[in-house]
Amino acid sequence: PERRVAAPLGLRHEDGTWYLDARDLVRGRERTFRLDRVSDVADGGAVPAQGHEPDDHGARLVRVSFSDPRYLDLLPWHDLKVLSRGDGGAPVVAETPYYGGMWLPRMIAACAGTARTNDAEVTALVRAYAKSALEGRR
């Protein structure tokens, strides 16, 4: 568990789970929090006017190649933009903003080896997450 200070941006429901989209005021980035994993919530009062609006400048675009395009519809991708459809057996190439954290690495890992990125940081996080998940199953 980690204590966070966040300014809410929106609340949404996907596949039976509630998510809070918020600006993490400590890390200075937009984050997504699963509400079933949140506890000990306190109202911190008014949020400063600066730094809580969604900010595309805090993200970098990450390209993801899908050898199995079914994962584009199976998983709830956010702001994923398809760049090429992968005609003739070529992979589908898409890009998505990455603000840090584990959301994107978990999504890529959920594609069971059929999605890849050339972003070294995200690739390392995918590998670490998959390794951790596999070790936890033993």
Side-chain angles (χ1 to χ4, degrees):
E2 195 175 334
R3 184 166 298 278
R4 300 289 181 90
V5 178
L9 299 171
L11 189 62
R12 60 189 159 84
H13 187 259
E14 286 182 13
D15 299 323
T17 303
W18 284 96
Y19 295 92
L20 171 68
D21 295 314
R23 180 84 178 164
D24 185 321
L25 299 176
V26 175
R27 294 183 181 182
R29 295 183 172 163
E30 193 173 319
R31 313 286 290 198
T32 298
F33 302 94
R34 276 182 54 161
L35 289 185
D36 62 328
R37 295 183 179 167
V38 173
S39 64
D40 194 27
V41 176
D43 182 358
V47 176
Q50 65 185 42
H52 72 282
E53 295 295 324
D55 181 10
D56 288 338
H57 302 293
R60 68 176 187 269
L61 290 177
V62 172
R63 285 199 177 191
V64 183
S65 299
F66 297 87
S67 61
D68 186 344
R70 292 179 297 172
Y71 285 98
L72 292 165
D73 295 323
L74 287 173
L75 298 172
W77 298 95
H78 303 292
D79 300 323
L80 187 78
K81 178 181 174 187
V82 174
L83 302 176
S84 69
R85 281 282 167 199
D87 298 326
V92 172
V93 177
E95 66 183 12
T96 186
Y98 178 59
Y99 295 91
M102 289 302 295
W103 179 83
L104 182 58
R106 284 193 309 261
M107 292 291 285
I108 293 172
C111 293
T114 65
R116 301 209 184 312
T117 180
N118 62 355
D119 185 290
E121 177 188 354
V122 174
T123 298
L125 290 169
V126 170
R127 288 184 178 144
Y129 175 76
K131 182 178 178 182
S132 169
L134 288 171
E135 288 172 352
R137 294 181 65 126
R138 292 182 185 172

